[in-house]
Every structure is written in C-alpha cells, then in structure tokens.
C-alpha cells in the first residue's frame, strides 16, 4: 500500500511539474514525426496480465517494399535519439503508473512475444509490477546482456523494499543525466531476446 501511494503521489507530481516539457515534446514529435504523438504497445505486466504502454514516438514508420519494418537505426531520428537518451520518451508511461498498470520501480515491461521464451526463473520477473525504471536499468541499462538483465530483475523481485526503490530512483536520475547504458555497443536499441541457449 505504501508503494502504491508513493507511485500515485510522485507520478502525479512529476506529470504536473513537467507538463510544460511534455507539451513541448509533443509539439516536436508532431513536427519531426507527425501523428500519432504516442507510441503504444501491448506489454505483459503483473502476473503476465496485458496492458497498453504509452511512450512518445521516437521512430519513423518505414517499411520495405515487402512490408517489413526497416531496422531501428534507419527509423530513429536525431530528435528521437535525443528523447530516448534523456528518457523523455518515457514520461507518458507515468500515466500507466497512475492507472496501476506499472510502478515507478520494477522490471521493465518487455514484449509479449518473450513470455514463451523465459525459463522458470526468468518468468519470476512478473511477480511484481513492471516499472519505468528498475534495478537492471541502474546497473547497466540496455548495455547489459539479456542474462544479466534477467538476473538483476529476479534479484529485485526477491529483495525489493521501499528504501531500495528510493535508492533506484536516485540512481536513475544520475543515469539519465549522464546518459549511461543507453544501448548495447554498436546498436541504437536493445537487441531482441531470442530465448535461452543451453
């Protein structure tokens, strides 16, 4: 109950305080990418229950002649890279926190297609609500391997406390300011998880 109350109060406060930045970002998304302003996608949350996540768009919708989406590096604009590196693209996800689909702190919500690829231990990352930031984000972010990322997610599930959440939020501010661990080397986004190798 304390965690939920904290999520509501802080996310509402941040949305109010940063409303000018959110409005300006929305305008620039329209100028740079057009409509829609938000990127929405179905993600698995607590216990694998599905919800719709909201972010600012950072990529163009470009398909090949065969209807296949082009690689991220070709779709990501300079403005998109900026709002990703500063995590401004995540601000609309505070609405998910207010609605109770997410928490401020928890394992990041990943793709639905990954659900069938987790082993039993990795699947335990869904035993808590997903978060805007998390233990994996402040210990390497997207520069981590999938194995390392899942190990940190499960560690958080087993060890999370209110004070650990406060520590993660403070560490997140530092990570965002210094733009640490934005992506894996040579990539603009995290590579896809394709399952576990023996």
């Amino acid at each position: 109950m304390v965690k939920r109350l904290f999520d509501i109060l802080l996310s509402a406060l941040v949305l109010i305080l940063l409303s000018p930045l959110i409005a300006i970002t929305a305008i620039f998304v329209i100028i740079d990418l057009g409509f829609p302003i938000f990127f929405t996608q179905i993600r698995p949350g607590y216990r694998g229950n599905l919800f719709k996540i909201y972010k600012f768009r950072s990529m163009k919708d470009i398909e090949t002649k065969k209807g296949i989406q082009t690689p991220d590096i070709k779709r990501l604009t300079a403005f998109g890279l900026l709002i990703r590196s500063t995590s401004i693209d995540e601000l609309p996800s505070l609405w998910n926190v207010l609605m109770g689909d997410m928490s401020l702190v928890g394992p990041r919500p990943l793709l639905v297609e990954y659900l069938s690829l987790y082993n039993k231990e990795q699947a335990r990352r869904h035993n808590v609500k997903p978060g805007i930031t998390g233990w994996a984000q402040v210990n390497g972010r997207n520069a981590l391997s999938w194995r390392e990322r899942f190990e940190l997610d499960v560690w958080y599930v087993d060890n999370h406390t209110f004070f650990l959440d406060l520590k993660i939020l403070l560490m997140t501010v530092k990570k965002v300011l210094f733009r640490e661990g934005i992506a894996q080397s040579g990539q603009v986004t995290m590579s896809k998880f394709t399952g576990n190798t023996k």
Side-chain angles (χ1 to χ4, degrees), residues 112-157:
V112 175
E113 64 193 72
Y114 294 172
L115 286 174
S116 62
L117 301 177
Y118 299 137
N119 59 34
K120 187 175 181 180
E121 182 70 3
Q122 292 165 348
R124 292 205 301 118
R125 68 191 305 278
H126 291 290
N127 288 351
V128 296
K129 284 185 181 181
I132 290 181
T133 185
W135 191 233
Q137 276 60 50
V138 298
N139 283 283
R141 204 172 172 182
N142 289 338
L144 295 169
S145 69
W146 281 112
R147 178 185 60 78
E148 293 169 326
R149 187 170 181 168
F150 292 146
E151 286 175 355
L152 290 168
D153 285 343
V154 173
W155 184 91
Y156 174 81
V157 170

Side-chain angles (χ1 to χ4, degrees), residues 58-59 76 80-87 89 141 188-189:
S58 59
M59 294 186 185
L76 188 64
L81 183 59
L82 173 64
I83 62 173
R84 274 176 172 257
S85 65
T86 54
S87 295
D89 68 316
R141 204 172 172 182
V188 295
T189 57

